[in-house]
Amino acid sequence: MPKRKPPIHRDEPLPDAETHSEGFRHTREATRGALVEDYVELIADLIDDGNEARQVDIAARLGVSQPTVAKMLARLCEDGLVSRRPYRGVFLTEAGSKIAQDIRARHQTVEAFLRWLGVSAETARIDAEGMEHHVSAETLKAFRRTMQREG
């Protein structure tokens, strides 16, 4: 007979169902938006680096197939975040540029906070890549405030 793990003791009771479900809803929404944000951020990075954002480069940097990228680029075009020109790269629209700026700022704050905590540069960069999509504006503000206060 397998041993049962002891129950986890909480300092606080579970929140009511509506409050509890809000956290899960937020996470699902962030997860859905994360892929769009990753593409838009990468396209901005490629363009800012002085290159065209080409489908082949996006696929290589995200580690996915070109058909996968083509499908996402079609969605981003439909959503008004990118534009494409025949035989040219992908370009961000004004709305796409705004998302890229916002996600880049979130990424930089999360990465800086992790580095401030003593996390190595490489690990902070990798961890920030996932966390940036899920962190709230309130938490980002707290990260910045803490780093400024503690110097």
Side-chain angles (χ1 to χ4, degrees):
M1 179 174 237
K3 283 188 172 182
R4 294 182 76 184
K5 292 183 180 179
I8 297 172
H9 295 285
R10 300 180 173 280
D11 293 335
E12 299 176 13
L14 279 175
D16 64 84
E18 187 174 326
T19 302
H20 208 182
S21 69
E22 177 65 19
F24 291 111
R25 185 191 59 74
H26 175 76
T27 299
R28 284 191 303 277
E29 286 177 10
T31 300
R32 268 187 243 116
L35 192 55
V36 167
E37 290 174 349
D38 282 342
Y39 272 81
V40 170
E41 182 183 19
L42 177 58
I43 291 166
D45 289 344
L46 288 168
I47 292 168
D48 289 349
D49 197 40
N51 300 309
E52 282 191 332
R54 300 177 311 146
Q55 184 172 309
V56 64
D57 298 323
I58 295 168
R61 290 186 178 270
L62 290 177
V64 298
S65 70
Q66 285 196 52
T68 298
V69 173
K71 184 176 177 181
M72 178 55 84
L73 290 177
R75 175 181 167 193
L76 295 174
C77 280
E78 285 178 22
D79 291 348
L81 301 176
V82 302
S83 64
R84 299 171 83 178
R85 296 186 190 139
Y87 310 106
R88 296 282 317 271
V90 179
F91 302 89
L92 293 174
T93 63
E94 192 173 319
S97 292
K98 173 73 171 110
I99 289 173
Q101 289 172 352
D102 291 348
I103 194 66
R104 193 177 279 158
R106 289 197 327 246
H107 180 105
Q108 289 169 348
T109 298
V110 172
E111 188 173 341
F113 185 70
L114 294 173
R115 294 282 294 135
W116 180 83
L117 289 173
V119 175
S120 72
E122 181 67 10
T123 300
R125 183 186 61 77
I126 292 167
D127 287 354
E129 196 59 53
M131 295 168 66
E132 68 194 9
H133 305 292
H134 299 276
V135 66
S136 68
E138 179 183 354
T139 300
L140 288 171
K141 189 184 256 184
F143 284 178
R144 289 184 201 109
R145 200 173 44 246
T146 300
M147 287 187 291
Q148 288 171 351
R149 194 175 335 134
E150 302 292 326

